[in-house]
Amino acid sequence: LLEKTWEDGKFGHRGLSEHTGPPTTLAATSIIALSQLLQTSYLFNFRSNLIQIVVRQANNHSSDDVRLACCHALSVLFTKDVQGEASLEAVRRMAKMVKERHNQQGGRGIHPDVMNTWLSLPLRIHEDEAMAAKIAAQVKKKRAKKSEEAKATQDIENEMKEGEATVDKLELAKNQADTLHAVILTYFRILKVQDGAAEQIDSKVVDSNLLPCALRGLAKFSHLIHLDAVVDLLEVLKKLLENGDRLSTDSCVHCILCALKTLRGPGRDTIPVDMKQYLIPLYGILPRIGIPTNESSLPSTNADDAQSNDEGKVIEEVIQCLDHAFLQRRELSSTRLAGFLKRLACSSLHCMPTSSVPLLACTRQIASRYSSSSSSKIERMLENEEDIVAEGVFSPDAEDPEHSNSHATSLWELSLLKYHVHPKVAEQSSNMAEGKLLKLPGEAPSKLCAQMKRDAREGHIEQKPMWKKH
């Protein structure tokens, strides 16, 4: 009945002759009821029918309420499914839909919300472990086929497991392995199509709305794939970054973050990859942060909200990139480190306060970690330029931070930011100029980023009371 109600009113009151227009209120209510039914009763006998309808309408472009309800239902299904069977069925249907639409329309027919639901998958099985589980399951099946008694015993055990609602670890490993294979294959297909398009088109900005989603998912699940696939992934990311000027800021940052997270995974020390080929694009992308663009892959009814949400997400990803590059590993090149500190200080000048405060906090955190090193010259950058012994000329337009010669200049941007109209920006710049340490975890860059985003939504600017004696 719910399915029939949706089919009758999914194109509005004009009927099925015109495939445009939002659905009727009754039809939208029916599809939302179906999505709720999938969340609460995913072990329902007609689960396949529910998954088919919800997956198809998760890409609904005529009604945001219907799309968000279906995507939320799929995310809840992925989280609650302990055996992995329903999740595997849903992922396969979604992968098939993405493949068909992506081949026909270059990815423009798939909404990013559909791909973002895969981030809720609780995948924990490595591909090598999954292969061992498959072999063990095949051996167990062969042993069960040898005698009818063993087969009858196996059927009884299966019925008992269904009655007790227990989790079969071998079956779970097999389902998660198949799910991981479908997800990674879809991500790689998006990257390959994007890489091929970037090589063919020279003048236009080549970007897909699914590229950031694929990179975000690969960054989360890259530790579960084997090393051969990791090498291919890093090679594709390197080719994408070579055409970084044709990609949006969001896509470039996601490429770098995905590569850095992949290189930090277990067993990645054996991969002969130089971090420099990912740090140089990160250095070049910093001036683009905070510049208004129309390349946002997150459409919204309000352009200002879309721009602020996109900038906030980019800042979060940049902070994670800097954390992986300089805090979770030891940077041995003091020249490269000085170049990044100078570039971060320059970028904080033109950014909005919601972006400038986290960037300054991240700059303080990096500087405080390396300032104690005997070979570090960070403290000299906080002095007056007249007191610095010149070591050449500073090159702000250098592509490589090691060629910028940042030791020949000072962080004079802090003296300007100290008089910023926003008190948080002025406080961060003053504390860095005075060499004060961050008060963690209260002043952690990620926490300040979330706090500044919340204050911007509410229109709140914290002011400290000034007491004067009369």
Side-chain angles (χ1 to χ4, degrees), residues 16-30:
L16 298 176
S17 58
E18 298 182 7
H19 296 273
T20 57
T24 62
T25 304
L26 183 60
T29 305
S30 64

Side-chain angles (χ1 to χ4, degrees), residues 257-271:
L257 179 61
C258 181
L260 294 178
K261 281 188 174 182
T262 303
L263 291 174
R264 295 295 300 171
R268 303 311 195 252
D269 297 336
T270 59
I271 301 177

Side-chain angles (χ1 to χ4, degrees), residues 179-253:
T179 303
L180 179 64
H181 178 73
V183 169
I184 297 298
L185 186 62
T186 304
Y187 286 156
F188 268 88
R189 183 178 291 113
I190 295 172
L191 292 184
K192 291 290 186 181
V193 171
Q194 180 67 26
D195 185 28
E199 293 178 354
Q200 294 174 7
I201 301 178
D202 296 330
S203 58
K204 298 181 180 179
V205 175
V206 181
D207 199 2
S208 170
N209 58 348
L210 300 184
L211 182 60
C213 305
L215 294 171
R216 194 181 295 115
L218 285 170
K220 180 178 181 180
F221 301 125
S222 61
H223 65 284
L224 298 176
I225 60 181
H226 53 77
L227 292 179
D228 295 336
V230 169
V231 174
D232 295 338
L233 171 61
L234 293 175
E235 186 64 27
V236 173
L237 294 177
K238 181 182 177 182
K239 291 182 179 179
L240 286 175
L241 290 174
E242 291 176 355
N243 302 286
D245 55 338
R246 303 178 192 136
L247 299 177
S248 65
T249 305
D250 187 21
S251 299
C252 289
V253 173

Side-chain angles (χ1 to χ4, degrees), residues 322-330 362 365-366 369-370:
L322 295 171
D323 180 71
H324 283 280
F326 297 105
L327 299 178
Q328 295 190 19
R329 59 179 286 271
R330 186 74 181 179
C362 190
Q365 193 174 16
I366 296 173
R369 184 191 176 187
Y370 292 92

Side-chain angles (χ1 to χ4, degrees), residues 361 365 428 437-451:
Q365 193 174 16
Q428 290 292 329
L437 300 178
L438 283 175
K439 298 178 182 179
L440 299 175
E443 288 186 337
S446 57
K447 191 169 183 178
L448 286 176
C449 185
Q451 180 182 350

